[in-house]
Amino acid sequence: MTTRPAPTVVLVHGAFADAASWSGVIAELQSDGIPVVAPPNPLRGLASDAAYIASVASQIDGPVVLVGHSYGGAIITVAGTTENVVGLVYVAAYVPEEGESPADLQGRFPEPALAASLRTATYPAEGAAGTEPLVEFTIEQEAFPTVFAADVPEEVTKVLAVAQRPLAAGAFTEPAAAAAWKTKPSWALVACADHAINPEVQRFGAKRADSTVIEIDGASHAVAVSRPKAVANLIRDAVSSTS
């Protein structure tokens, strides 16, 4: 009897964060000898971001479990169709249907506090001179602790607030080209005190995907920072179930 090799975990961060937001989770997984990769997420558009993550997964020798936080959930929903992806883990994340954007999904429910706390800026568009600049979002620094990371120590949130990576505005309204959860098993963590993505949005998407769900009372959107053991435990369950 042959045993399938243990999956490599690919951690996909969302908007207003970077791969370092997974540091505690990475340490937990590495302590168990679980191979893990935490690539940068371009945050420029759902199709292009998903293509990038799919390319990361496809170049890994062996099975992959994709883990997506926040907007990263939409990315793994699309990138998860990659052949060697065997499972999906959603962490305080959007879980869209094919043809549905994160904005469409959010629009089914009351707006979170995040919506009133976004700062818009522009960045140069690629192409010829005269092209209209593109718009991107960040969270107002004063609002960041409450909206994004209310259960994280203040000295940490001050660093996270100034180090946040912006999301291209168009990425939020771009529909998912596929829904890998229809054919691949999934797990989901609902952050019950999330002010960036309404917890009801998380529950709705997870239920629709028939995910195995855990809920963490008092957890903010930055649950991977504040509760790395809980997040890692859910990922361990996914790895064990797909090995």
Side-chain angles (χ1 to χ4, degrees):
M1 179 179 177
T2 59
T3 302
R4 182 160 62 176
T8 296
V9 172
V10 176
L11 301 169
V12 183
H13 67 82
F16 321 125
D18 61 19
S21 62
W22 293 112
S23 295
V25 176
I26 292 169
E28 287 286 329
L29 297 176
Q30 288 180 334
S31 71
D32 282 345
I34 297 173
V36 58
V37 177
N41 177 355
L43 301 176
R44 297 296 87 182
L46 182 50
S48 60
D49 295 342
Y52 178 79
I53 296 302
S55 73
V56 171
S58 67
Q59 293 177 69
I60 292 172
D61 185 16
V64 167
V65 168
L66 289 180
V67 182
H69 173 245
S70 189
Y71 163 72
I75 292 174
I76 70 168
T77 294
V78 179
T81 58
T82 305
E83 185 176 357
N84 64 328
V85 172
V86 294
L88 309 167
V89 181
Y90 294 94
V91 179
Y94 291 108
V95 189
E97 168 67 278
E98 182 177 354
E100 182 178 61
S101 69
D104 293 332
L105 183 50
Q106 177 60 61
R108 294 170 178 258
F109 300 89
E111 282 192 343
L114 171 71
S117 305
L118 292 174
R119 177 181 178 275
T120 59
T122 59
Y123 65 99
E126 294 182 7
T131 302
E132 286 292 319
L134 301 179
V135 177
E136 61 187 14
F137 295 137
T138 53
I139 301 173
E140 294 284 357
Q141 287 189 25
E142 315 80 60
F144 188 94
T146 301
V147 169
F148 198 88
D151 60 346
V152 175
E154 182 181 1
E155 63 271 20
V156 177
T157 63
K158 287 180 178 179
V159 174
L160 296 177
V162 300
Q164 59 181 301
R165 292 188 57 207
L167 174 72
F172 192 62
T173 57
E174 191 173 335
W181 49 259
K182 290 185 175 181
T183 58
K184 312 244 173 125
S186 61
W187 291 256
L189 183 154
V190 175
C192 295
D194 196 330
H195 298 301
I197 299 179
N198 188 327
E200 289 303 321
V201 173
Q202 301 171 38
R203 292 187 183 102
F204 173 82
K207 182 178 179 180
R208 182 171 60 180
D210 195 26
S211 303
T212 299
V213 180
I214 66 168
E215 299 203 4
I216 301 183
D217 291 337
S220 74
H221 193 58
V223 63
V225 178
S226 63
R227 321 289 176 99
K229 288 183 182 294
V231 174
N233 282 340
L234 184 63
I235 297 170
R236 289 184 184 108
D237 289 345
V239 167
S240 177
S241 296
T242 56
S243 294

